[in-house]
PDB file of all heavy atoms in Angstrom:
ATOM      1  N   GLY A 281      19.615  10.123  -2.745  1.00 98.00           N
ATOM      2  CA  GLY A 281      19.647  11.359  -1.964  1.00 98.00           C
ATOM      3  C   GLY A 281      18.717  11.311  -0.771  1.00 98.00           C
ATOM      4  O   GLY A 281      19.063  11.776   0.327  1.00 98.00           O
ATOM      5  N   ALA A 282      17.526  10.747  -0.960  1.00 98.00           N
ATOM      6  CA  ALA A 282      16.569  10.642   0.143  1.00 98.00           C
ATOM      7  C   ALA A 282      17.088   9.727   1.245  1.00 98.00           C
ATOM      8  O   ALA A 282      17.018  10.056   2.436  1.00 98.00           O
ATOM      9  CB  ALA A 282      15.229  10.134  -0.380  1.00 98.00           C
ATOM     10  N   LEU A 283      17.634   8.577   0.871  1.00 98.00           N
ATOM     11  CA  LEU A 283      18.118   7.623   1.867  1.00 98.00           C
ATOM     12  C   LEU A 283      19.341   8.136   2.615  1.00 98.00           C
ATOM     13  O   LEU A 283      19.517   7.849   3.809  1.00 98.00           O
ATOM     14  CB  LEU A 283      18.444   6.294   1.190  1.00 98.00           C
ATOM     15  CG  LEU A 283      17.265   5.512   0.598  1.00 98.00           C
ATOM     16  CD1 LEU A 283      17.756   4.258  -0.107  1.00 98.00           C
ATOM     17  CD2 LEU A 283      16.248   5.147   1.663  1.00 98.00           C
ATOM     18  N   ASN A 284      20.191   8.885   1.923  1.00 98.00           N
ATOM     19  CA  ASN A 284      21.429   9.375   2.544  1.00 98.00           C
ATOM     20  C   ASN A 284      21.258  10.723   3.227  1.00 98.00           C
ATOM     21  O   ASN A 284      22.129  11.143   3.988  1.00 98.00           O
ATOM     22  CB  ASN A 284      22.537   9.492   1.491  1.00 98.00           C
ATOM     23  CG  ASN A 284      23.034   8.139   1.023  1.00 98.00           C
ATOM     24  OD1 ASN A 284      22.907   7.142   1.735  1.00 98.00           O
ATOM     25  ND2 ASN A 284      23.596   8.089  -0.174  1.00 98.00           N
ATOM     26  N   GLY A 285      20.159  11.411   2.947  1.00 96.00           N
ATOM     27  CA  GLY A 285      19.965  12.762   3.466  1.00 96.00           C
ATOM     28  C   GLY A 285      19.366  12.778   4.863  1.00 96.00           C
ATOM     29  O   GLY A 285      19.219  11.740   5.521  1.00 96.00           O
ATOM     30  N   LEU A 286      19.017  13.979   5.310  1.00 93.00           N
ATOM     31  CA  LEU A 286      18.377  14.126   6.617  1.00 93.00           C
ATOM     32  C   LEU A 286      17.051  13.384   6.630  1.00 93.00           C
ATOM     33  O   LEU A 286      16.261  13.482   5.690  1.00 93.00           O
ATOM     34  CB  LEU A 286      18.161  15.612   6.924  1.00 93.00           C
ATOM     35  CG  LEU A 286      19.427  16.467   7.071  1.00 93.00           C
ATOM     36  CD1 LEU A 286      19.063  17.941   7.206  1.00 93.00           C
ATOM     37  CD2 LEU A 286      20.250  16.006   8.265  1.00 93.00           C
ATOM     38  N   GLN A 287      16.804  12.670   7.720  1.00 95.00           N
ATOM     39  CA  GLN A 287      15.615  11.822   7.802  1.00 95.00           C
ATOM     40  C   GLN A 287      14.444  12.495   8.515  1.00 95.00           C
ATOM     41  O   GLN A 287      13.412  11.844   8.742  1.00 95.00           O
ATOM     42  CB  GLN A 287      15.979  10.512   8.509  1.00 95.00           C
ATOM     43  CG  GLN A 287      17.047   9.698   7.786  1.00 95.00           C
ATOM     44  CD  GLN A 287      16.644   9.310   6.383  1.00 95.00           C
ATOM     45  OE1 GLN A 287      15.697   8.551   6.193  1.00 95.00           O
ATOM     46  NE2 GLN A 287      17.351   9.827   5.373  1.00 95.00           N
ATOM     47  N   ASN A 288      14.568  13.773   8.819  1.00 95.00           N
ATOM     48  CA  ASN A 288      13.465  14.448   9.518  1.00 95.00           C
ATOM     49  C   ASN A 288      12.212  14.552   8.660  1.00 95.00           C
ATOM     50  O   ASN A 288      11.112  14.730   9.173  1.00 95.00           O
ATOM     51  CB  ASN A 288      13.896  15.830  10.015  1.00 95.00           C
ATOM     52  CG  ASN A 288      14.421  16.727   8.901  1.00 95.00           C
ATOM     53  OD1 ASN A 288      14.650  16.264   7.774  1.00 95.00           O
ATOM     54  ND2 ASN A 288      14.614  17.991   9.199  1.00 95.00           N
ATOM     55  N   VAL A 289      12.357  14.435   7.337  1.00 95.00           N
ATOM     56  CA  VAL A 289      11.191  14.487   6.462  1.00 95.00           C
ATOM     57  C   VAL A 289      10.254  13.321   6.752  1.00 95.00           C
ATOM     58  O   VAL A 289       9.027  13.472   6.699  1.00 95.00           O
ATOM     59  CB  VAL A 289      11.610  14.486   4.972  1.00 95.00           C
ATOM     60  CG1 VAL A 289      12.363  13.217   4.606  1.00 95.00           C
ATOM     61  CG2 VAL A 289      10.400  14.639   4.066  1.00 95.00           C
ATOM     62  N   VAL A 290      10.805  12.163   7.084  1.00 97.00           N
ATOM     63  CA  VAL A 290       9.979  10.993   7.386  1.00 97.00           C
ATOM     64  C   VAL A 290       9.148  11.240   8.637  1.00 97.00           C
ATOM     65  O   VAL A 290       7.943  10.970   8.667  1.00 97.00           O
ATOM     66  CB  VAL A 290      10.854   9.741   7.561  1.00 97.00           C
ATOM     67  CG1 VAL A 290       9.999   8.533   7.952  1.00 97.00           C
ATOM     68  CG2 VAL A 290      11.631   9.443   6.288  1.00 97.00           C
ATOM     69  N   GLU A 291       9.778  11.780   9.658  1.00 97.00           N
ATOM     70  CA  GLU A 291       9.049  12.066  10.900  1.00 97.00           C
ATOM     71  C   GLU A 291       8.016  13.162  10.688  1.00 97.00           C
ATOM     72  O   GLU A 291       6.920  13.115  11.272  1.00 97.00           O
ATOM     73  CB  GLU A 291      10.033  12.456  12.000  1.00 97.00           C
ATOM     74  CG  GLU A 291       9.394  12.773  13.352  1.00 97.00           C
ATOM     75  CD  GLU A 291       8.698  11.577  13.989  1.00 97.00           C
ATOM     76  OE1 GLU A 291       8.755  10.458  13.436  1.00 97.00           O
ATOM     77  OE2 GLU A 291       8.087  11.762  15.060  1.00 97.00           O
ATOM     78  N   ALA A 292       8.334  14.136   9.858  1.00 96.00           N
ATOM     79  CA  ALA A 292       7.365  15.208   9.573  1.00 96.00           C
ATOM     80  C   ALA A 292       6.117  14.642   8.902  1.00 96.00           C
ATOM     81  O   ALA A 292       4.988  15.026   9.250  1.00 96.00           O
ATOM     82  CB  ALA A 292       8.011  16.275   8.697  1.00 96.00           C
ATOM     83  N   ILE A 293       6.313  13.741   7.946  1.00 97.00           N
ATOM     84  CA  ILE A 293       5.168  13.108   7.274  1.00 97.00           C
ATOM     85  C   ILE A 293       4.372  12.278   8.269  1.00 97.00           C
ATOM     86  O   ILE A 293       3.138  12.336   8.320  1.00 97.00           O
ATOM     87  CB  ILE A 293       5.649  12.238   6.099  1.00 97.00           C
ATOM     88  CG1 ILE A 293       6.208  13.124   4.980  1.00 97.00           C
ATOM     89  CG2 ILE A 293       4.520  11.360   5.570  1.00 97.00           C
ATOM     90  CD1 ILE A 293       6.871  12.343   3.852  1.00 97.00           C
ATOM     91  N   ARG A 294       5.079  11.512   9.092  1.00 97.00           N
ATOM     92  CA  ARG A 294       4.397  10.655  10.066  1.00 97.00           C
ATOM     93  C   ARG A 294       3.569  11.480  11.044  1.00 97.00           C
ATOM     94  O   ARG A 294       2.408  11.139  11.339  1.00 97.00           O
ATOM     95  CB  ARG A 294       5.424   9.810  10.832  1.00 97.00           C
ATOM     96  CG  ARG A 294       4.809   8.694  11.674  1.00 97.00           C
ATOM     97  CD  ARG A 294       5.808   8.139  12.684  1.00 97.00           C
ATOM     98  NE  ARG A 294       6.108   9.110  13.736  1.00 97.00           N
ATOM     99  CZ  ARG A 294       5.318   9.338  14.785  1.00 97.00           C
ATOM    100  NH1 ARG A 294       4.182   8.687  14.924  1.00 97.00           N
ATOM    101  NH2 ARG A 294       5.661  10.226  15.691  1.00 97.00           N
ATOM    102  N   LEU A 295       4.124  12.568  11.546  1.00 97.00           N
ATOM    103  CA  LEU A 295       3.406  13.405  12.508  1.00 97.00           C
ATOM    104  C   LEU A 295       2.188  14.066  11.869  1.00 97.00           C
ATOM    105  O   LEU A 295       1.129  14.178  12.499  1.00 97.00           O
ATOM    106  CB  LEU A 295       4.339  14.463  13.090  1.00 97.00           C
ATOM    107  CG  LEU A 295       5.391  13.960  14.077  1.00 97.00           C
ATOM    108  CD1 LEU A 295       6.356  15.076  14.446  1.00 97.00           C
ATOM    109  CD2 LEU A 295       4.727  13.392  15.336  1.00 97.00           C
ATOM    110  N   GLN A 296       2.330  14.511  10.623  1.00 96.00           N
ATOM    111  CA  GLN A 296       1.206  15.143   9.944  1.00 96.00           C
ATOM    112  C   GLN A 296       0.057  14.154   9.752  1.00 96.00           C
ATOM    113  O   GLN A 296      -1.113  14.481   9.988  1.00 96.00           O
ATOM    114  CB  GLN A 296       1.657  15.681   8.585  1.00 96.00           C
ATOM    115  CG  GLN A 296       0.543  16.410   7.809  1.00 96.00           C
ATOM    116  CD  GLN A 296       0.226  15.761   6.478  1.00 96.00           C
ATOM    117  OE1 GLN A 296       1.083  15.120   5.876  1.00 96.00           O
ATOM    118  NE2 GLN A 296      -0.996  15.915   6.020  1.00 96.00           N
TER     119      GLN A 296
END
Side-chain angles (χ1 to χ4, degrees):
L283 294 177
N284 289 336
L286 296 173
Q287 299 301 295
N288 56 349
V289 62
V290 177
E291 180 64 4
I293 291 173
R294 191 195 69 80
L295 288 173
Q296 182 241 333

